[in-house]
Amino acid sequence: MKATINGEARELETGLTFAELLDQLGVSQSGIAVARNDQVLRRGALGEERIREGDRIEIIRAVAGG
């Protein structure tokens, strides 16, 4: 299955949840937001929502500073 993650086309296994994707990428779920096709997902839904063919996924990390 193909999806785009932060602008990069990727081949992913079918049925992957967003939480599983973050684990595979080595990204902690704290301090981030995840959007699918311009819709921000609730943090509690990351383990339930499955990635679909053609999804555009953005993983946004909070950055402190000024």
Side-chain angles (χ1 to χ4, degrees):
M1 162 180 70
K2 293 182 182 178
T4 303
I5 303 171
N6 290 353
E8 180 184 333
R10 304 274 300 255
E11 188 68 36
L12 303 173
E13 60 188 84
T14 302
L16 197 66
T17 67
F18 284 88
E20 291 168 336
L21 172 65
L22 294 173
D23 284 344
Q24 285 184 8
L25 296 174
V27 176
S28 170
Q29 290 187 32
S30 65
I32 64 157
V34 179
R36 171 178 42 201
N37 303 326
D38 301 322
Q39 295 277 318
V40 176
L41 298 173
R42 290 181 308 106
R43 185 175 312 277
L46 297 177
E48 303 165 5
E49 291 285 331
R50 299 204 179 274
I51 299 167
R52 298 181 292 232
E53 178 74 31
D55 275 348
R56 291 181 332 276
I57 301 163
E58 294 293 327
I59 302 168
I60 303 141
R61 294 175 194 218
V63 178

